[in-house]
Amino acid sequence: MERLELTFCPRWRDGSVSDMRVSGMLSSLPKTESPILTAFQSTVGIPFAVYDGLALQDENGTVPFSVSPVSSKQDFVALAGIFSKREVKGSLRWEYTVYPRILPKGYTSSPYFDFRIEQGGFNSAGITFLLLPEEGTWETRIHWDLSELPDGARGIWSLGIKDAARETDAETLRFSYYMAGLINAEERGDFGIYWFGDVPFDIEAASKRIRDLFSYMCEFFCDTEPIYRVFLRCDPFEKSGGGTALARSFMTGYSAATPPDIERWFNVIAHEMVHNWPSMSDEPAGKGTWYTEGIAEYYSALLPLRAGLADIEETARQITSKAARYYESALRLMSNDELAEIYWSDRRAQVVPYGR
């Protein structure tokens, strides 16, 4: 199996990460007319990190390249391909710098993918900043070079702490989370919750409750993998509380201006946690959303009750809220295919499958 090495070197300025140097090494590449690396540039119109100073080398020295838009399997993703202008000989090495996303004034929400900083460090999904071959499975080694960060800084990946090695594929590397800086944590074994600064709620109690729910769900879904990580992001807007699940982890946002409703926040976490298990293919978009999101809504209401982590009154409130959101929707009678066509032009369409 081919080897992939990724090194992340975040740099520090004014109490946070200013940018990050990323380097990669792939032991060999197949002969192909396809791009040797791909860069995800945006999703649903939301821009990702800015890449700067890309340089490629192989056994014969500098690899000249061109960059062109390429088609993506997902029509809501903009993708750029890096094409070599000659055949790559032996291993390929690449380096570049990425910069955190600066939110527009008045911004209120976004998927939890973007390379974002707050006081203390950064967190991001890999899709935002990783240049990788479009597909592949490798013996992968992740290395954090924290030499330019303050003492006590840590680097964390959804599937590993500090330097980590495991067999993984391009999809998993892109759709997992990365975090570095002066990280606070509640950890027990391979379960952990990670954040920067102070949070406006009892993080120790929340951590225990989430850990207990994860343990119950693992038993319920017959899962023996111990890894699970929760990444918290302090959003700079008034209201927050969403979340996105990725590989054995999820990220959830909170607002320092408006402390979260703990029960609602816990239900969001329960929903995202369920996504580790039951799912259905969603290609083309909309085909499986009703099941994947619907089953997460179902179990996020019932499993905390069965685990003894929510009482019957709170469970009834959650079920009533979820049902009302569906039955009161003006788009409820639209088909799954019709809803998928307007997901990103009419956000009301996105919530209908959750109740279905």
Side-chain angles (χ1 to χ4, degrees), residues 183-241:
I183 299 170
N184 295 316
E186 283 282 340
E187 295 172 302
R188 180 172 296 182
D190 283 317
F191 181 95
I193 297 181
Y194 307 93
W195 71 96
F196 297 115
D198 298 322
V199 291
F201 50 86
D202 187 341
I203 189 66
E204 186 175 349
S207 175
K208 182 181 184 308
R209 194 177 180 196
I210 295 166
R211 185 175 66 244
D212 289 347
L213 179 61
F214 176 71
S215 178
Y216 182 86
M217 284 190 177
C218 279
E219 183 177 353
F220 182 84
F221 290 110
C222 304
D223 187 348
T224 58
E225 170 63 70
I227 292 177
Y228 201 74
R229 297 192 167 94
V230 180
F231 299 90
L232 305 186
R233 172 183 286 181
C234 182
D235 285 319
F237 27 85
E238 185 176 347
K239 294 182 180 180
S240 183

Side-chain angles (χ1 to χ4, degrees), residues 90-161:
S91 62
L92 175 70
R93 297 179 180 273
W94 61 97
E95 287 190 347
Y96 57 96
T97 299
V98 290
Y99 298 89
R101 182 183 177 207
I102 305 300
L103 294 181
K105 186 176 181 179
Y107 201 76
T108 58
S109 66
S110 70
Y112 290 95
F113 291 152
D114 48 353
F115 187 105
R116 190 96 65 79
I117 62 167
E118 52 190 285
Q119 279 296 110
F122 88 89
N123 51 42
S124 178
I127 186 176
T128 297
F129 69 89
L130 280 179
L131 298 185
L132 295 170
E134 187 169 7
E135 296 178 340
T137 299
W138 312 283
E139 289 289 347
T140 301
R141 180 176 179 268
I142 302 289
H143 171 63
W144 292 95
D145 177 355
L146 304 178
S147 59
E148 299 194 41
L149 297 192
D151 290 344
R154 302 176 68 191
I156 296 170
W157 170 39
S158 291
L159 304 180
I161 302 291

Side-chain angles (χ1 to χ4, degrees), residues 243-264:
T244 300
L246 294 183
R248 304 300 295 191
S249 58
F250 72 91
M251 185 180 292
T252 181
Y254 70 92
S255 169
T258 309
D261 176 326
I262 293 300
E263 292 301 331
R264 181 185 178 281

Side-chain angles (χ1 to χ4, degrees), residues 9-326:
C9 181
R11 295 187 277 205
W12 194 258
R13 186 177 64 209
D14 299 331
S16 192
V17 169
S18 60
D19 58 76
M20 184 165 69
R21 192 71 179 161
V22 180
S23 59
M25 188 286 295
L26 191 58
S27 56
S28 70
L29 280 171
K31 293 181 180 180
T32 177
E33 295 182 357
S34 301
I36 56 175
L37 299 172
T38 54
F40 283 71
Q41 296 187 307
S42 68
T43 182
V44 300
I46 296 170
F48 286 162
V50 174
Y51 303 86
D52 184 36
L54 175 61
L56 282 68
Q57 285 195 323
D58 66 0
E59 291 183 5
N60 289 333
T62 299
V63 176
F65 63 91
S66 61
V67 181
S68 301
V70 293
S71 60
S72 170
K73 294 178 181 178
Q74 295 104 356
D75 57 9
F76 53 85
V77 171
L79 196 64
I82 292 91
F83 294 84
S84 174
K85 292 184 177 181
R86 64 168 173 79
E87 183 180 334
V88 174
K89 176 73 172 177
S91 62
L92 175 70
R93 297 179 180 273
W94 61 97
E95 287 190 347
Y96 57 96
T97 299
V98 290
Y99 298 89
R101 182 183 177 207
I102 305 300
L103 294 181
K105 186 176 181 179
Y107 201 76
T108 58
S109 66
S110 70
Y112 290 95
F113 291 152
D114 48 353
F115 187 105
R116 190 96 65 79
I117 62 167
E118 52 190 285
Q119 279 296 110
F122 88 89
N123 51 42
S124 178
I127 186 176
T128 297
F129 69 89
L130 280 179
L131 298 185
L132 295 170
E134 187 169 7
E135 296 178 340
T137 299
W138 312 283
E139 289 289 347
T140 301
R141 180 176 179 268
I142 302 289
H143 171 63
W144 292 95
D145 177 355
L146 304 178
S147 59
E148 299 194 41
L149 297 192
D151 290 344
R154 302 176 68 191
I156 296 170
W157 170 39
S158 291
L159 304 180
I161 302 291
K162 297 175 64 175
D163 290 358
R166 61 187 297 142
E167 180 182 326
T168 190
D169 58 18
E171 183 86 353
T172 301
L173 289 168
R174 288 191 181 99
F175 290 96
S176 53
Y177 285 115
Y178 303 80
M179 184 175 189
L182 300 176
I183 299 170
N184 295 316
E186 283 282 340
E187 295 172 302
R188 180 172 296 182
D190 283 317
F191 181 95
I193 297 181
Y194 307 93
W195 71 96
F196 297 115
D198 298 322
V199 291
F201 50 86
D202 187 341
I203 189 66
E204 186 175 349
S207 175
K208 182 181 184 308
R209 194 177 180 196
I210 295 166
R211 185 175 66 244
D212 289 347
L213 179 61
F214 176 71
S215 178
Y216 182 86
M217 284 190 177
C218 279
E219 183 177 353
F220 182 84
F221 290 110
C222 304
D223 187 348
T224 58
E225 170 63 70
I227 292 177
Y228 201 74
R229 297 192 167 94
V230 180
F231 299 90
L232 305 186
R233 172 183 286 181
C234 182
D235 285 319
F237 27 85
E238 185 176 347
K239 294 182 180 180
S240 183
T244 300
L246 294 183
R248 304 300 295 191
S249 58
F250 72 91
M251 185 180 292
T252 181
Y254 70 92
S255 169
T258 309
D261 176 326
I262 293 300
E263 292 301 331
R264 181 185 178 281
W265 185 68
F266 181 71
N267 188 257
V268 169
I269 291 172
H271 173 103
E272 300 299 340
M273 204 176 280
V274 173
H275 282 314
N276 283 280
W277 298 290
S279 66
M280 181 182 288
S281 171
D282 201 37
E283 293 185 10
K287 178 182 178 182
T289 315
W290 67 272
Y291 177 80
T292 301
E293 297 297 350
I295 203 71
E297 286 289 84
Y298 176 79
Y299 281 129
S300 69
L302 293 188
L303 293 188
L305 175 67
R306 295 180 186 179
L309 299 171
D311 60 27
I312 194 69
E313 289 79 11
E314 176 57 28
T315 304
R317 188 172 76 88
Q318 292 291 346
I319 292 171
T320 300
S321 174
K322 295 174 190 296
R325 184 170 64 170
Y326 177 71

